[in-house]
Amino acid sequence: MLRVSDITAGYGRTTILDGVTLEVNAGEIVTLIGSNGAGKSTLLRTISGMIKPKTGSVTFLDETISTLTPDEIVARGLIMVPEARQLFPVMSVRDNVLMGAYHPVAREGMEQRFEEVLDMFPRVRERLDQLAGSLSGGEQQMVAIARGLMAKPRLLMLDEPSLGLAPLIVAQMFDIITRICSMGTTVLLVEQKAFHALKIANRAYAMENGRIVISSTGEGLLADPHVKQAYLGI
């Protein structure tokens, strides 16, 4: 479904990604783990079209998208929920969620999808008329994911969805991600909470210093000695 081939990218003269290659197949949860500064978010921004690769290519559904604009990539069903939620704090929760369907491609069936998303996030339904900035961190993350689902994703990329959340909410968040995939949306998950992320992953990659250093199944990375020492504290 998604193929990243030998991507080199960065900011100005600074290279962050150095020959990154990975794949995501339809129906999978693929997890990308790594420490701060490893290049995980830069990779998602490159896939999304916000950063243009210096070398290599990104292919989505057999189409090269490396030269497309972000809105053209969104129109094809490749959606990113960014790190730190990035909601509109002085807009209502309702309007924040509906912003996900701003693109004409996502407007078809918007009302039905809105109800389906709210069924998945009953707490969001309860707070539709509140300002998004008044919500807790966990509630804001639910709104951010709900907004992403309103964009009609075929592949949903999640950048650190558990960041700053309480342990109980973290467990709920990973349950939600599993449910999203079971309902037909493929997921590429970037996450520092490696144990939780690998437990739900079909396949996984570990990134260090802008390079993929290990790839296997989620269970394979959980059992890998280097992953245990570097990311799981075992």
Side-chain angles (χ1 to χ4, degrees), residues 155-167:
L155 192 157
L156 185 66
M157 300 191 297
L158 301 170
D159 193 0
E160 304 284 6
S162 74
L163 186 67
L165 303 186

Side-chain angles (χ1 to χ4, degrees), residues 205-224:
Y205 297 85
M207 176 176 277
E208 295 177 2
N209 299 317
R211 297 181 178 183
I212 300 295
V213 293
I214 308 170
S215 63
S216 183
T217 63
E219 291 182 354
L221 257 67
L222 280 171
D224 184 274

Side-chain angles (χ1 to χ4, degrees), residues 183-194:
M183 295 175 68
T185 301
T186 304
V187 174
L188 175 58
L189 170 64
V190 163
E191 183 56 63
Q192 283 196 49
K193 289 184 171 58

Side-chain angles (χ1 to χ4, degrees), residues 31-233:
T31 291
L32 178 64
I33 63 172
S35 61
N36 281 332
K40 306 184 302 299
S41 294
T42 300
L43 177 58
L44 294 194
R45 294 187 187 110
T46 303
I47 295 171
S48 299
M50 291 183 284
I51 298 173
K52 297 304 178 187
K54 299 175 182 178
T55 63
S57 64
V58 180
T59 304
F60 181 60
L61 298 172
D62 298 322
E63 177 186 8
T64 299
I65 62 172
S66 315
T67 59
L68 300 183
T69 62
D71 66 301
E72 290 172 330
I73 292 172
V74 165
R76 284 154 175 78
L78 182 53
I79 309 299
M80 181 172 72
V81 177
E83 183 180 357
R85 296 107 184 174
Q86 297 189 25
L87 301 180
F88 299 95
V90 297
M91 288 171 53
S92 71
V93 169
R94 183 190 306 274
D95 288 342
N96 268 272
V97 174
L98 290 175
M99 279 295 293
Y102 82 94
H103 202 285
V105 172
R107 291 176 193 163
E108 182 179 352
M110 182 176 70
E111 293 82 5
Q112 178 181 345
R113 193 160 61 256
F114 184 59
E115 288 302 317
E116 292 171 350
V117 168
L118 294 181
D119 286 343
M120 183 177 294
F121 297 101
R123 190 171 298 184
V124 174
R125 184 189 292 276
E126 294 170 1
R127 287 155 172 73
L128 286 175
D129 296 323
Q130 289 184 224
L131 296 182
S134 70
L135 303 183
S136 68
E139 291 168 343
Q140 288 189 23
Q141 187 62 65
M142 291 177 189
V143 173
I145 295 176
R147 180 181 60 188
L149 292 172
M150 285 300 297
K152 205 173 179 179
R154 302 181 72 174
L155 192 157
L156 185 66
M157 300 191 297
L158 301 170
D159 193 0
E160 304 284 6
S162 74
L163 186 67
L165 303 186
L168 179 61
I169 304 300
V170 168
Q172 294 176 3
M173 192 60 59
F174 284 102
D175 287 342
I176 288 168
I177 294 167
T178 301
R179 183 179 175 191
I180 288 170
C181 186
S182 71
M183 295 175 68
T185 301
T186 304
V187 174
L188 175 58
L189 170 64
V190 163
E191 183 56 63
Q192 283 196 49
K193 289 184 171 58
F195 179 79
H196 294 279
L198 295 175
K199 286 286 286 186
I200 67 170
N202 299 104
R203 293 186 304 106
Y205 297 85
M207 176 176 277
E208 295 177 2
N209 299 317
R211 297 181 178 183
I212 300 295
V213 293
I214 308 170
S215 63
S216 183
T217 63
E219 291 182 354
L221 257 67
L222 280 171
D224 184 274
H226 177 72
V227 171
K228 285 183 176 181
Q229 182 178 18
Y231 303 109
L232 303 179

